[in-house]
Amino acid sequence: MASVLASLPRGVRVAIIRLRSLGDCVLTTPALDILHEARPDLEVAIVVEDRFRAVFEGHPGVAAMAPPSLLALRGWRPRLVLNLHGGSRSARLAALSGARFRAGFAHFRHGCIYNVKIPRAQEVLDEERTVHTAEHLASAIFYLGAERREIPRARLFAPAPPPGHPYAVIHPMASHPDKTWPAERFLSAAEHLEEALDLEPVFIAGPEDDTVPFRRYRVVQGAHIEDLKTLLRGASLFLGNDSGPAHMAAAFGLPVAVIFGASDSAVWRPWKTDAEVLQSPQGIGYITVAQVAAALDRLRVRA
């Protein structure tokens, strides 16, 4: 029996639903590369919220981006809809898309709407272990019929910033307190970057984040993803909590030091870049400045 990808006529349209979440959007790009390599003739649209569309801009496997509205999705007239998001809103979009093939993971809610049910990544990859998010997402493309291959690094596209003094990007924020290393320790790490490694610390933060503790350094607050991409492309190193910007840094191939709290580092560690993962079974507060400084030193030596 022919696979879904083999069943698609040349040049037809496909829609991939990935509504939001910065890290998940970045880690979708390896799956896009695999799909584009398998079927470069397909016209692929990403259904994504406006604030995250910059993640996919410039990707050779993306022909268009559509807002998460039924009108826009049906207007694209996809033959295949692949839901990589899950949840009720994305399921409704997939169900009413008009697509001949509606694909989603079998464990998603509202599974009855999918006529192509994708099994667990472990079954697709034939490996009974914890899989990384990039592997989980790529497994969907393999199940649809792409030839099995090594899953590539995530990719982002941005212009290079003007040349200047080497700098390190620091992201001291996170979505939950148990994922956030203390601000004063980030400041100590910034001093180490400046004094021991001759890197200018550049802090990044969201528009609502409290950046007062970091004001002695350059702070980029509330920047658009497009601007963050350019900033990260020109950086020499990244330090931060487990969050979306860490995955952006990894996508540019930066050496990355990531401080983990409650998240599973096997699932969310930096994907395919030189990385140092710092985690303590007692919690994020038990990770010391000395441990982070040593990790930064090792990254700088290997860079």
Side-chain angles (χ1 to χ4, degrees), residues 171-203:
H171 184 238
M173 311 301 176
S175 56
H176 300 287
D178 64 0
K179 295 176 66 175
T180 307
W181 204 46
E184 65 273 11
R185 298 187 202 177
F186 271 112
L187 287 171
S188 296
E191 291 175 6
H192 182 79
L193 286 166
E194 192 172 38
E195 296 169 6
L197 302 180
D198 193 29
L199 292 174
E200 177 198 357
V202 179
F203 285 83

Side-chain angles (χ1 to χ4, degrees), residues 159-163 167 230-231 233-235:
Y167 61 91
T230 297
L231 180 70
R233 178 179 168 179

